[in-house]
Amino acid sequence: MTIDTEIRHVTKPGANLFLELGFAPDEAKRLQAASRKQFNDTRLLKQQLMEELSTWIAEHHLKQAEAAETLMVSRPRVPDVVNKKTTKFTIDTLVEMLSRVGKPVKLTIG
């Protein structure tokens, strides 16, 4: 059995993927804007959750290993939280970590 791994097309950075997928120009523009907004909203939410975790770590003067043990993550994950590397975490994971330190998350829809 042979697996086809040939690259046939590469979308250039900044290009509208929806346009390249064949959507009408107006629809592609709308979809791209909606996608960017959703991505930005998710990033901002993750940053807010990470800020709470970073503050908690700083307030308790924890070393990375101590924070990792409490958060139930590996030690290298702690600086990823502190430095707000949002792409490395899901919202679920951040909510679970906050719960572990006694900071339950409440969702407010505006």
Side-chain angles (χ1 to χ4, degrees):
M1 181 170 124
T2 310
I3 297 174
D4 182 3
T5 59
E6 181 181 347
I7 297 173
R8 290 177 181 75
H9 179 79
V10 176
T11 302
K12 294 179 181 175
N16 187 330
L17 177 64
F18 299 102
L19 191 59
E20 293 194 20
L21 288 171
F23 287 90
D26 288 346
E27 181 69 1
K29 187 176 180 179
R30 187 191 66 73
L31 289 168
Q32 184 180 38
S35 175
R36 285 184 175 160
K37 182 181 181 331
Q38 184 177 8
F39 176 81
N40 191 49
D41 290 349
T42 299
R43 184 181 51 80
L44 291 172
L45 178 55
K46 287 180 182 182
Q47 285 178 339
Q48 184 180 3
L49 298 170
M50 290 175 156
E51 182 62 36
E52 287 294 323
L53 285 165
S54 296
T55 300
W56 178 83
I57 292 167
E59 286 174 351
H60 289 83
H61 309 287
L62 298 177
K63 294 183 178 3
Q64 288 181 4
E66 296 167 330
E69 185 176 333
T70 302
L71 297 172
M72 299 174 85
V73 297
S74 64
R75 194 217 40 84
R77 300 279 280 165
V78 175
D80 290 340
V81 169
V82 173
N83 295 320
K84 295 175 190 63
K85 294 187 177 178
T86 57
T87 58
K88 296 191 174 218
F89 295 90
T90 63
I91 291 171
D92 290 351
T93 300
L94 295 168
V95 168
E96 285 176 18
M97 286 192 275
L98 282 163
S99 180
R100 289 182 186 124
V101 300
K103 290 183 168 254
V105 175
K106 294 181 182 177
L107 178 65
T108 302
I109 299 173

